[in-house]
């Protein structure tokens, strides 16, 4: 089923490229006939990480809005070049940040919005992985195209933290390669210091390929309580199994991985 899902995705991409070429022909015909194209529907074209980076520029040059799979680019300079090009043409270019819709992250956001923990003092986000070997044939292990754990999973935990707390004033990072013969970083711990929305919150972001026993996905501590969450969001796993949104229990987590909320307010203890 996973192979079928992969095939369908590739077929969909080819269809998008074809649609883009067709729409370019339509635009050219409209312009030739002196017709206005202000009522045309704006489309965003999705480009995968392992496609030639030149396609991103080509899509922008062709007047297309672009959504890029992470990592956006290998360097900040490359990213700024694409952003500047998009702005010069009045187009949008963005990164596909699908984990902003993870159920555990949305739960964390709701807990913070409701102030259930009082004043938040500490936030820890960990993406546990266990792969004590070098997996062949994947961009994540080759050291090319922005590979490595920081560009892979770090992109998600950093983005989620910035969504919640704003841009940090400074960053501390310990990034390392722990596995023998690895060509990429496979461990990181990152501290975001004095984020703009909550400068007093201590933020720690972690991941490693050598976490045989997973750590909690989220740990939050506040002046009136804590929240601890194990396990990962189910949506990606369900998609890899060939299940589509709308099927019964799609994305629903097993009760064993539900988060633990423990608060103490005005003498009342809540523990569930």
């Amino acid at each position: 089923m996973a192979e079928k899902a992969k095939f369908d995705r590739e077929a969909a991409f080819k269809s998008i490229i074809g649609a883009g070429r067709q729409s370019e022909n339509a635009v050219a015909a409209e312009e030739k006939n002196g017709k206005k194209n202000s009522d045309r529907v704006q489309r965003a074209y999705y480009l995968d990480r392992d496609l030639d980076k030149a396609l991103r520029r080509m899509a922008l040059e062709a007047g297309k809005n672009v959504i890029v799979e992470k990592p956006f680019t290998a360097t900040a300079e490359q990213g700024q070049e694409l952003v500047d090009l998009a702005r010069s043409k009045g187009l949008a270019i963005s990164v596909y940040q699908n984990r902003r819709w993870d159920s555990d992250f949305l739960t964390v956001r709701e807990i913070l919005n409701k102030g259930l923990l009082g004043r938040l003092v500490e936030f820890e986000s960990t993406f546990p992985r266990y792969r004590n070997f070098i997996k062949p044939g994947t961009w994540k292990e080759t050291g090319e195209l922005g590979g490595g754990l920081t560009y892979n999973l770090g992109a998600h935990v950093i983005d989620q933290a910035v969504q919640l707390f704003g841009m940090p004033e400074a960053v501390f990072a310990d990034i390392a390669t722990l596995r023998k013969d690895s060509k990429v970083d496979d461990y990181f711990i990152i501290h975001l210091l004095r984020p703009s929305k909550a400068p007093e919150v201590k933020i720690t972001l972690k991941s490693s390929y050598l976490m045989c026993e997973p750590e909690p996905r989220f740990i939050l501590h506040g002046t009136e309580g804590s929240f601890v969450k194990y396990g990962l969001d189910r949506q990606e796993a369900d998609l890899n199994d060939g299940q589509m949104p709308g099927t019964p229990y799609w994305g629903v987590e097993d009760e064993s991985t539900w988060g633990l909320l423990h608060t103490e307010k005005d003498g009342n203890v809540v523990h569930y």
Side-chain angles (χ1 to χ4, degrees), residues 18-217:
R21 291 171 179 159
Q22 292 174 10
S23 63
E24 281 302 298
N25 294 335
V27 171
E30 286 179 354
E31 292 176 348
K32 182 177 180 180
N33 295 327
K35 295 181 180 180
K36 295 182 179 180
N37 55 19
S38 59
D39 59 342
R40 287 188 293 112
V41 176
Q42 291 295 313
R43 296 182 180 181
Y45 287 81
Y46 175 85
L47 301 183
D48 206 349
R49 70 179 69 83
D50 54 355
L51 295 171
D52 189 341
K53 289 183 174 60
L55 285 180
R56 304 172 187 183
R57 172 175 286 277
M58 290 170 60
L60 291 171
E61 293 284 5
K64 306 302 178 185
N65 298 307
V66 175
I67 300 173
V68 183
E69 175 61 281
K70 52 85 179 172
F72 182 42
T73 56
T75 68
E77 290 76 14
Q78 292 173 348
Q80 190 61 54
E81 182 181 348
L82 290 175
V83 170
D84 291 342
L85 176 60
R87 286 175 175 169
S88 70
K89 294 182 171 297
L91 298 170
I93 184 168
S94 186
V95 182
Y96 176 57
Q97 292 288 8
N98 58 305
R99 292 200 177 273
R100 292 181 186 179
W101 286 269
D102 280 5
S103 57
D104 47 15
F105 174 68
L106 294 177
T107 298
V108 166
R109 182 189 285 274
E110 184 176 0
I111 288 172
L112 295 178
N113 287 342
K114 292 181 176 180
L116 298 182
L117 306 181
R119 178 174 57 84
L120 187 69
V121 298
E122 187 175 0
F123 173 88
E124 184 172 309
S125 175
T126 301
F127 232 115
R129 281 285 190 271
Y130 185 64
R131 185 191 297 163
N132 64 353
F133 61 93
I134 311 304
K135 184 177 180 180
T138 172
W139 68 276
K140 302 172 185 177
E141 298 275 23
T142 63
E144 302 173 355
L145 299 170
L149 196 60
T150 308
Y151 273 14
N152 178 20
L153 298 181
H156 292 304
V157 295
I158 292 171
D159 176 71
Q160 288 179 341
V162 170
Q163 289 293 304
L164 294 174
F165 306 112
M167 290 292 289
E169 182 179 310
V171 177
F172 169 85
D174 180 7
I175 300 174
T177 301
L178 303 181
R179 296 171 303 165
K180 183 181 179 181
D181 299 327
S182 177
K183 297 180 180 180
V184 299
D185 60 282
D186 52 22
Y187 165 92
F188 69 78
I189 181 167
I190 298 172
H191 297 289
L192 304 185
L193 308 178
R194 298 179 295 279
S196 59
K197 298 179 183 178
E200 301 302 319
V201 176
K202 306 302 181 184
I203 298 176
T204 302
L205 313 174
K206 301 167 56 180
S207 189
S208 171
Y209 275 140
L210 295 178
M211 288 185 175
C212 187
E213 183 64 27
E215 297 183 10
R217 176 67 182 88

